[in-house]
Amino acid sequence: MDTTTVAIIILVISFIAMLVLRFPVALCLAGSTIFTLMYLNVPLEVIGQRMIQGVNSYALLTIPFFILAGQIMGEGGLALRLVNFALLIVGRIRGGLAMVNCVACLFFGNISGSAAADVSSIGSIMIPMMKKKGYSTEFSVGLTTSAAIQGVVVPPSHNLILYSLAAGGTSISALFLAGVVPGVILCIALMIASYFMAIRKGFTQKHVVAREDVSKVLKDGILAIMPAFIILGGIFSGWFTASESGAIACLYAFIVTFFVYREIPLSRMWTILKRTLRTVSMVLFLIAASNAFGWLLAYLKIPALVTDTLLQISHNPIIILLIINILLLILGSPMDMAPLILIMTPILLPVVTALGMDPVHFGIIMMLNLGIGLLTPPVGTVLFIGCAIGKVSIGQGARAMAPFALVLVAVLMLLTYIPQLSMWLPGLMNH
């Protein structure tokens, strides 16, 4: 075997071995890169240079801003206000509490940008509320975990920012705009599915907001979703960039949480900052390690090899995109979302661009694809959190989630083969 083939084998085997031994993914990326470079006799200074280059980006400012804004609003009673606001909109419908779950998850995803935060915050309110109103625990958990996946698609998804970096600087603003219509489609599809399933199972209770509470719920709801309008409105208008909108959203979240809602003391801000710093540190280390790993992939010409292999199977874009979707769904089961974005984007992006697909469109497909992976064991982070909140087994939660997962897959196919659904808004805004 030639040197390149042996190096690829070392890279793959060392990465998988460290993953099986339960090393953190960032260390798996860095370690396998070091082993391979040692075999190739490439100076190890390269990995340090590439890691530093990976985090030396102005666009990375977007991540801590949005994480901090989400942490502040999540800590300050945002989730309950969004649930009440959703009740005001669709609570009057038969089985409407299930639809409220979908709407509340969409709203919270517009603030947190994280599916895990979505299911933690909304799930802790909606699952007990649905159980109290006669919905089964399994149905409540299955719906909540599935609806939380909206958070990885709609802005300000942290994962869209990671994809932008991994894709070589694809516009974050364009990705945020591209996620709006798919997020609405996801919400509508889940609402329709949850409505018919709730009716079939006999969960027909209505939940009407008292007339005297309407004005307060409306005011609190508008204040709660305002960060989403700040982010999207600023990008739409061109008044500020994604990073600047994140900073403004942080300031807004701080004022509303501590001076309007006033449910937590100002001293809690120190805890929020520490939690944000811990999260950002992990994300930045992962980005740094993946940048070195991605450079090695390019050095070994692995993306070109994958492109040639897939194009040898078929030149039909429909077949190639189906294969890529299946591959990502399979990989999303044993691995977490963020490292997969950073690993697979440099490999698969050349394939889809060779087929004429826009990188922004592919970003939305990848987000939803890997988001579905958050629902599937053995990793299944979102599923595990939902089951823990609902106090059901992973098996029960997975069975209840399965029908909604099929809805997510159907929407994934729709977004894959109808690019206008993702590209219409960025095209309209000339991004």
Side-chain angles (χ1 to χ4, degrees):
M1 289 188 290
D2 59 64
T3 302
T4 300
T5 303
V6 174
I8 293 173
I9 293 172
I10 292 173
L11 181 67
V12 173
I13 291 179
S14 60
F15 178 80
I16 294 175
M18 295 176 75
L19 205 60
V20 170
L21 292 173
R22 296 185 178 276
F23 280 77
V25 175
L27 292 181
C28 296
L29 293 168
S32 58
T33 302
I34 290 172
F35 295 144
T36 309
L37 289 179
M38 290 173 64
Y39 168 76
L40 294 170
N41 291 319
V42 175
L44 292 183
E45 291 85 350
V46 171
I47 188 172
Q49 294 169 352
R50 293 294 166 178
M51 290 179 75
I52 292 171
Q53 183 179 334
V55 294
N56 185 23
S57 171
Y58 173 77
L60 281 177
L61 285 175
T62 312
I63 293 178
F65 282 141
F66 284 132
I67 291 177
L68 179 58
Q71 291 279 3
I72 294 172
M73 295 292 282
E75 191 83 6
L78 171 77
L80 180 59
R81 287 171 171 82
L82 289 177
V83 168
N84 289 334
F85 189 53
L87 283 170
L88 185 62
I89 298 172
V90 292
R92 294 176 178 272
I93 303 171
R94 282 200 312 156
L97 204 55
M99 301 172 74
V100 166
N101 201 326
C102 303
V103 175
C105 284
L106 176 65
F107 286 161
F108 195 85
N110 272 135
I111 309 300
S112 70
S114 165
D118 210 338
V119 73
S120 300
S121 299
I122 299 299
S124 62
I125 297 171
M126 285 304 306
I127 292 174
M129 183 184 290
M130 292 178 73
K131 288 167 62 178
K132 185 178 178 180
K133 293 296 181 180
Y135 291 77
S136 71
T137 305
E138 293 81 3
F139 177 83
S140 305
V141 169
L143 174 59
T144 307
T145 53
S146 303
I149 300 305
Q150 296 170 98
V152 306
V153 176
V154 296
S157 168
H158 311 148
N159 294 295
L160 281 173
I161 301 170
L162 292 180
Y163 171 81
S164 169
L165 298 169
T170 299
S171 169
I172 296 175
S173 298
L175 288 166
F176 279 3
L177 294 175
V180 174
V181 174
V184 172
I185 292 173
L186 269 175
C187 186
I188 293 172
L190 287 170
M191 286 174 69
I192 293 171
S194 64
Y195 171 78
F196 284 109
M197 289 183 66
I199 297 300
R200 185 170 64 84
K201 292 176 180 290
F203 307 142
T204 58
Q205 299 85 346
K206 300 179 182 181
H207 194 109
V208 181
V209 176
R211 185 182 297 274
E212 61 270 19
D213 295 333
V214 169
S215 60
K216 184 178 185 304
V217 168
L218 190 61
K219 184 194 76 172
D220 286 347
I222 292 173
L223 285 174
I225 63 173
M226 191 57 67
F229 288 106
I230 292 173
I231 294 165
L232 293 176
I235 294 173
F236 283 160
S237 63
W239 287 350
F240 38 76
T241 65
S243 298
E244 292 164 348
S245 69
I248 294 170
C250 281
L251 179 61
Y252 175 86
F254 179 80
I255 294 171
V256 169
T257 298
F258 291 106
F259 299 103
V260 179
Y261 292 163
R262 293 186 292 184
E263 289 191 2
I264 57 175
L266 191 59
S267 59
R268 188 76 67 85
M269 188 64 192
W270 178 243
T271 303
I272 293 171
L273 287 171
K274 288 195 294 185
R275 191 184 305 134
T276 302
L277 179 61
R278 186 163 53 245
T279 303
V280 171
S281 299
M282 292 188 293
V283 171
L284 291 181
F285 182 47
L286 178 61
I287 291 171
S290 67
N291 194 66
F293 187 84
W295 173 84
L296 183 57
L297 292 178
Y299 182 82
L300 296 173
K301 296 182 173 59
I302 292 177
L305 179 64
V306 172
T307 301
D308 291 341
T309 301
L310 287 175
L311 291 179
Q312 284 176 6
I313 295 174
S314 173
H315 284 277
N316 189 332
I318 296 176
I319 302 298
I320 298 296
L321 291 176
L322 181 61
I323 293 172
I324 289 175
N325 276 326
I326 293 172
L327 174 65
L328 291 174
L329 286 171
I330 293 172
L331 291 175
S333 180
M335 284 190 68
D336 207 357
M337 185 171 185
L340 270 176
I341 292 170
L342 296 168
I343 294 169
M344 297 306 296
T345 299
I347 295 174
L348 295 177
L349 190 57
V351 179
V352 297
T353 52
L355 298 174
M357 177 179 283
D358 192 290
V360 172
H361 179 206
F362 181 64
I364 300 302
I365 294 172
M366 178 174 267
M367 291 311 102
L368 181 53
N369 221 313
L370 299 182
I372 295 171
L374 297 175
L375 300 175
T376 55
V379 175
T381 310
V382 172
L383 177 64
F384 290 170
I385 295 172
C387 290
I389 293 171
K391 296 181 175 58
V392 299
S393 69
I394 299 300
Q396 290 174 310
R399 284 192 294 273
M401 173 274 302
F404 299 109
L406 292 176
V407 174
L408 296 178
V409 171
V411 174
L412 171 63
M413 294 296 108
L414 193 69
L415 296 176
T416 299
Y417 296 113
I418 307 179
Q420 293 82 1
L421 296 175
S422 302
M423 299 306 300
W424 172 71
L425 203 50
L428 186 66
M429 303 307 298
N430 295 318
H431 279 275

